[in-house]
Amino acid sequence: MNCIFCKIRDGEIPSKILYENEVAFAILDINPMNFGHVLVISKNHYKDILEIPKSEAADLFSAVQLISKSLTEALNLEGFNVISNKGEIAGQSIFHFHFHIIPRYKNDNINFVRSLKKYTDQEFQEVFQKINQHIKK
Ligand SMILES: [Zn+2]
């Protein structure tokens, strides 16, 4: 498979692994939005967040939490964003599941587009119902 994250995992592409546990490994993004931008990548090849099995989700999340805490201490962060893009339209460019942890600094000029929409009461009810009916309880 021609997947850059699988190649990094297998050592075919050399890289510095910041951290790893049973299910995930973390590297610095080489095209960072801010210095310290980390990628936490699943060891198994899953396309995106919808493919992650429940059995791996907790350890993946704890890797994200641990790295976020370490980043905050190491780089004196005031905050950070944790993001996973799903689908090209959402900005996913490598189709092997990963979280971005993006350090935030005062005046760093990063703007995640915020286009806030407004529901009517009816629209809110409709959207809520539609989603709720698909949630498997
Ligand atoms: Zn892969």
Side-chain angles (χ1 to χ4, degrees):
M1 193 186 302
N2 199 25
C3 170
I4 190 168
F5 289 163
C6 286
K7 286 180 178 169
I8 289 172
R9 175 200 62 209
D10 296 341
E12 288 171 41
I13 295 174
S15 76
K16 278 175 112 68
I17 305 293
L18 262 176
Y19 171 78
E20 67 179 311
N21 67 15
E22 293 268 293
V23 302
F25 63 101
I27 57 174
L28 283 173
D29 193 317
I30 53 166
N31 299 119
M33 290 184 72
N34 256 337
F35 285 1
H37 181 161
V38 170
L39 303 177
V40 177
I41 304 165
S42 61
K43 282 188 175 172
N44 289 323
H45 182 96
Y46 301 116
K47 194 175 58 175
D48 57 50
I49 196 166
L50 297 182
E51 288 193 351
I52 300 297
K54 229 179 184 173
S55 58
E56 296 185 19
D59 285 341
L60 258 165
F61 183 79
S62 58
V64 170
Q65 198 178 39
L66 185 144
I67 298 294
S68 300
K69 195 167 187 285
S70 307
L71 270 178
T72 299
E73 291 166 2
L75 303 179
N76 281 315
L77 301 186
E78 295 171 58
F80 54 85
N81 294 96
V82 174
I83 297 176
S84 182
N85 303 324
K86 193 267 185 263
E88 243 176 291
I89 194 160
Q92 187 176 10
S93 57
I94 296 171
F95 293 84
H96 176 139
F97 177 75
H98 57 288
F99 278 114
H100 294 262
I101 306 171
I102 301 161
R104 299 306 305 271
Y105 305 99
K106 207 169 258 164
N107 304 319
D108 62 13
N109 286 317
I110 292 177
N111 287 304
F112 291 100
V113 179
R114 273 169 67 89
S115 55
L116 302 181
K117 300 190 170 156
K118 192 120 181 89
Y119 288 116
T120 63
D121 286 349
Q122 195 193 340
E123 286 165 336
F124 185 91
Q125 292 302 333
E126 281 171 17
V127 172
F128 183 94
Q129 286 297 342
K130 250 189 220 173
I131 297 168
N132 195 243
Q133 282 166 10
H134 281 83
I135 294 176
K136 291 170 181 69
K137 289 165 183 156

